Amino acid sequence: MVQSEAMRISTRSISLLLVIVIASLSQISNAQNDFFNSIDVDIRREDSRSGANYSVIGWITQKISQGIERPGPQFSRRERELNKIETSLFGQIDSGLGENFNFRVSGKAYHDEIYRINDDTNYSADERNKFRNRIELKDFYIERQFTNGFYFKAGNQILAWGMAEYSRVTDLINTEDQYTFGQQDLEDIRLQVPAVLLSYSSADWTFDGVITHRAGRNDTAPAGDEFDQLIGLRQSGLSLERADPEDEQEYFFRASTHLSQGDLQLVAGEFNDNALSLEQVAAIRSIAPRFQYGQNRMRAIGVAANWADGLWLVFGELGMHFDKAVIPSADSVFRQVGGWDEKDQVLSVLGIEYNGFRNLLLSFEIDRTRTKNHDDFMYADKNQTSFGSRIYWTALNEKLQVLAVRNELANRSGQVSRVSVDYSWSDNLELGLLWVDYGSREQSNFYDFRNNDVLQLHLRYNFQI
């Protein structure tokens, strides 16, 4: 009886999903490219203002997502049902400001109708406040290239360093969108941070210096959400607090050069860890002990390089991260009332890409982390290894794009499998399908999220003014 009712609810949800997409298709006759992420848009058209000193691009996106499994009783959503009906609008303006200065501003507005349609789901106030309506400032910067080799860029921006796709060894500056796990590539989850970049090019080398101010931390899901990273602690009745870092300025340096068959980068930085860590436990003998989280101060040095030879591309990174706060084992949480232990870690990456097949790109990456002075109070092993693989295939003059990704998480925490299909219906309209599957062993910190499998449809209309 219960199983029959669950099947009826799931069938009804999927039917509603298809009806909404068909209705959306009947209202839109033009559009373009990209599945899920912000990409460069190149729409060729005659424009009477082609000589104008500015350009405006944007896109409207509709996402409709079905939760395939029941996440669990600790989350707000507990049934197989629609978990997203999100409409978003992205806009970007580029303009020249004279004296060779360029200016860019972009932003994105979201509205998720799921909180009205699923009115019988007991969403938390945090979820509604965070996701129902929100506006994000993306890029907001000025830049200038000087004739003497200097380049200057100041404002909200993305500074993507390094070569790896799944590990942040030398790519240290930007925070991440961690509202979900594994549903986007690294290049698409980076968030802009307020920073000043000064570059100087001389001969074959470029030297970059970056200072950020109040860069913040990774964006994480709110209380009760199916990707709430603190869900286990909330269920324990603990009081959770978050503190700002003492020093809100971060410093980074990079020296890079192009080799005959590749690239080389040397990176160093002093920064606040973008992931939260426990700083102290207060009122430990009370009914509701207070856990205060913050961002520990870290330093890092590293090297990243790639080498191309015919159909092959090999890339790698090697770095040392100092004073990384490490997650304790479950029975050591209350032992560390003064905060999590800080350890030095050696991180390495080895990856390879092969494009010898027609319209097909294969890539594989192995990431390894070795923790120095490891002890039995740590959750993770002394040596942690993770693995990522990607298959990217195009057809119909690249109108059809298929991407399959498989990730084996570090410390045997679990697996994430993802397949996305993207079809450019016309020059302006794109349709997409995303499927994500999660798996985890019972002893893993990832175990609470094992039932967050999702099937998502996507419709996007690109425009240019």
Side-chain angles (χ1 to χ4, degrees), residues 51-68:
N53 192 29
Y54 69 91
S55 66
V56 179
I57 65 170
W59 47 83
I60 301 172
T61 307
Q62 180 67 55
K63 296 178 183 178
I64 304 168
S65 177
Q66 169 77 21
I68 300 174

Side-chain angles (χ1 to χ4, degrees), residues 418-431:
R418 168 165 53 97
V419 177
S420 62
V421 181
D422 177 15
Y423 179 69
S424 297
W425 183 270
S426 69
D427 290 340
N428 299 95
L429 184 65
E430 177 205 292
L431 308 174

Side-chain angles (χ1 to χ4, degrees), residues 104 137-141 153-158 192-195:
R104 170 175 289 181
L137 176 66
K138 297 294 188 179
D139 293 310
F140 187 75
Y141 63 78
K153 186 177 182 182
N156 227 36
Q157 57 187 289
I158 286 179
Q192 289 83 350
V193 295

Side-chain angles (χ1 to χ4, degrees), residues 239-402:
S239 176
L240 306 179
E241 303 173 355
R242 299 182 183 182
D244 293 328
E246 295 181 2
D247 188 349
E248 298 204 88
Q249 293 200 150
E250 301 169 303
Y251 310 92
F252 306 91
F253 172 79
R254 179 179 67 170
S256 58
T257 186
H258 296 291
L259 306 175
S260 59
Q261 289 182 273
D263 304 285
L264 175 67
Q265 300 180 7
L266 306 174
V267 174
E270 180 179 343
F271 53 96
N272 300 314
D273 192 353
N274 292 328
L276 290 174
S277 58
L278 185 66
E279 292 186 338
Q280 66 173 352
V281 180
I284 191 171
R285 300 185 183 279
S286 67
I287 299 177
R290 299 198 310 274
F291 277 42
Q292 181 172 304
Y293 284 83
Q295 298 170 257
N296 71 298
R297 193 72 173 180
M298 294 180 58
R299 293 165 293 122
I301 56 173
V303 57
N306 61 28
W307 178 74
D309 184 13
L311 302 174
W312 297 89
L313 174 68
V314 180
F315 60 92
E317 297 192 38
L318 178 64
M320 187 79 177
H321 290 192
F322 303 93
D323 303 324
K324 170 68 177 179
V326 294
I327 300 174
S329 58
D331 55 359
S332 302
V333 173
F334 286 96
R335 182 189 73 86
Q336 299 179 338
V337 294
W340 291 349
D341 290 338
E342 297 178 2
K343 305 286 188 178
D344 297 341
Q345 294 183 330
V346 180
L347 293 85
S348 57
V349 173
L350 178 62
I352 189 169
E353 290 186 359
Y354 178 70
N355 63 353
F357 301 106
R358 181 180 179 184
N359 300 331
L360 182 66
L361 177 65
L362 304 177
S363 63
F364 304 92
E365 178 179 314
I366 297 177
D367 305 318
R368 187 172 176 85
T369 300
R370 179 181 179 86
T371 302
K372 304 183 73 173
N373 300 318
H374 185 276
D375 56 53
D376 294 336
F377 299 111
M378 285 182 55
Y379 161 74
D381 295 337
K382 179 177 182 178
N383 297 302
Q384 305 171 60
T385 302
S386 58
F387 173 79
S389 62
R390 291 163 50 94
I391 301 174
Y392 178 66
W393 177 73
T394 63
L396 305 176
N397 293 324
E398 297 190 353
K399 284 182 172 291
L400 178 65
Q401 302 176 31
V402 179

